[in-house]
Amino acid sequence: MDNSGWVQVEGGRVWYRMWGPENTVPLLILHGGPGSSHLGFRPFAERISEERLVVVYDQLGCGQSDRPQQKNLWRIERFVDELKILRKELHLQELHILGHSWGTMLLAEYLKEQPEGILSCIFSGPCLSAARWLEDAEHYRSLLPPHIQEALLEGERTGNYDTEEYRNATKFYEKRHVRQTDRTKEEAAEASAAFGLEVYETMWGPTEFYATGTLKGFDRTDILSTLSMPTLFTCGEWDEASPASTGTYAAMTPNSEFHIFSGCSHSPMNEDLLSYEKKMKEFLNRVERR
């Protein structure tokens, strides 16, 4: 099976692709951002589709989905409704869900309503508390070289985040804690074109280090103790979703396990694809054997 198309939601159409063996429980992937796309998960999805049905989609405002210029659309409740519609239209009655980064925020908000048919959940590089995410970022910043710290502080003092110095300092941080592997020029251009900047800035803010948007007070740790399905929490050793924070979330969740990808940052699906694939397959297959 290999189908792709669009589903109508509030504000426009979202693009999806589902492919793999039809007689398997599908894995639905919620990408990060907000405003990113499915591209970061494409290599992983291609590999796991060899043994199970996989579903990816670009959320409204990014990737191959429509990009309406309406800031009132960029709120988490609308993204939850979008997920509900997609699941209904694609007939995903029983499934696994993997959320990454912002996708874990969306997943947690969705789980608040206790939807049926979810066999397991995976929180990959989770951000379940905006405050804790920013605390981790502040800690990691304090370990950067002094000239990098100063460049970041200068941009934030002036509000000018578009200087070469600030951009280079941000790239330095990202190389340590977001993605350690380089994209090809073609991959970088594709990812840049797919990114929904308005979504990101409206929901998070102008920079990774300050939440000024609609997600600034987000905290959905309250639902973790209510989850009954098998749940996997993962992060990289140097992940901006720190092992300490991710481990805390796992400890709050009854039927959960926790895994750290050694040597990786926030993108183990790109930095160590084989290890990421192995862990996800092992977890999903074990859940289904139960």
Side-chain angles (χ1 to χ4, degrees):
M1 177 182 188
D2 192 344
N3 292 335
S4 63
W6 285 267
V7 170
Q8 184 68 41
V9 300
E10 180 188 357
R13 303 172 308 156
V14 295
W15 173 89
Y16 72 88
R17 182 186 176 196
M18 57 191 305
W19 73 109
E22 292 187 67
N23 60 339
T24 56
V25 180
L27 172 66
L28 173 63
I29 298 176
L30 311 180
H31 66 68
S36 189
S37 72
H38 79 284
L39 291 175
F41 269 91
R42 187 163 61 188
F44 167 74
E46 291 285 357
R47 293 180 68 91
I48 206 167
S49 70
E50 295 174 4
E51 71 171 40
R52 75 167 57 245
L53 192 64
V54 61
V55 184
V56 299
Y57 73 104
D58 290 335
Q59 297 156 20
L60 193 70
C62 66
Q64 298 182 59
S65 295
D66 289 343
R67 302 194 185 197
Q69 301 299 304
Q70 299 172 245
K71 289 191 175 184
N72 65 308
L73 293 170
W74 313 134
R75 59 190 194 281
I76 195 166
E77 297 82 7
R78 195 214 58 80
F79 284 96
V80 169
D81 289 341
E82 175 181 286
L83 174 54
K84 290 179 185 176
I85 293 169
L86 184 88
R87 188 179 170 191
K88 180 180 179 181
E89 291 296 316
L90 299 185
H91 308 291
L92 303 175
Q93 285 91 1
E94 190 175 69
L95 76 165
H96 305 279
I97 303 182
L98 186 164
H100 176 68
S101 198
W102 138 254
T104 67
M105 303 170 93
L106 173 56
L107 175 55
E109 192 72 12
Y110 178 57
L111 293 175
K112 183 178 70 172
E113 301 182 17
Q114 299 183 329
E116 296 181 352
I118 300 176
L119 291 191
S120 76
C121 289
I122 300 170
F123 290 86
S124 174
C127 177
L128 300 180
S129 162
R132 180 137 193 173
W133 181 275
L134 295 172
E135 288 173 8
D136 284 341
E138 190 63 32
H139 169 68
Y140 285 137
R141 280 178 58 156
S142 72
L143 305 178
L144 298 175
H147 72 283
I148 298 295
Q149 294 188 49
E150 181 55 36
L152 292 172
L153 287 171
E154 179 62 21
E156 290 150 7
R157 275 195 294 262
T158 62
N160 189 352
Y161 305 110
D162 200 37
T163 65
E164 183 177 359
E165 292 78 12
Y166 191 85
R167 289 197 305 271
N168 287 340
T170 300
K171 288 177 182 176
F172 189 97
Y173 176 89
E174 291 175 347
K175 189 73 171 179
R176 283 194 177 186
H177 301 296
V178 181
R179 178 169 172 154
Q180 298 172 349
T181 54
D182 293 326
R183 295 181 175 93
T184 66
K185 287 184 178 180
E186 293 76 17
E187 289 171 339
E190 187 179 22
S192 178
F195 190 69
L197 184 61
E198 181 182 85
V199 184
Y200 179 81
E201 292 186 342
T202 302
M203 297 189 74
W204 187 256
T207 172
E208 192 74 0
F209 306 113
Y210 289 95
T212 58
T214 56
L215 294 173
K216 66 180 179 182
F218 182 86
D219 190 315
R220 197 43 75 212
T221 55
D222 59 329
I223 63 103
L224 296 178
S225 64
T226 71
L227 302 183
S228 58
M229 75 285 288
T231 305
L232 172 64
F233 289 85
T234 73
C235 67
E237 183 180 2
W238 305 107
D239 204 320
E240 57 179 342
S242 75
S245 294
T246 305
T248 297
Y249 300 147
M252 298 169 71
T253 309
N255 190 14
S256 72
E257 57 185 273
F258 174 38
H259 181 79
I260 300 172
F261 291 101
S262 179
C264 293
S265 66
H266 194 50
S267 305
M269 73 292 298
N270 304 117
E271 298 162 346
D272 191 353
L273 174 58
L274 295 182
S275 294
Y276 194 84
E277 175 192 9
K278 180 181 178 181
K279 182 61 187 177
M280 298 307 162
K281 284 183 175 180
E282 182 271 331
F283 173 72
L284 295 172
N285 292 335
R286 179 157 39 88
V287 168
E288 292 176 14
R289 284 197 301 269
R290 292 176 184 174

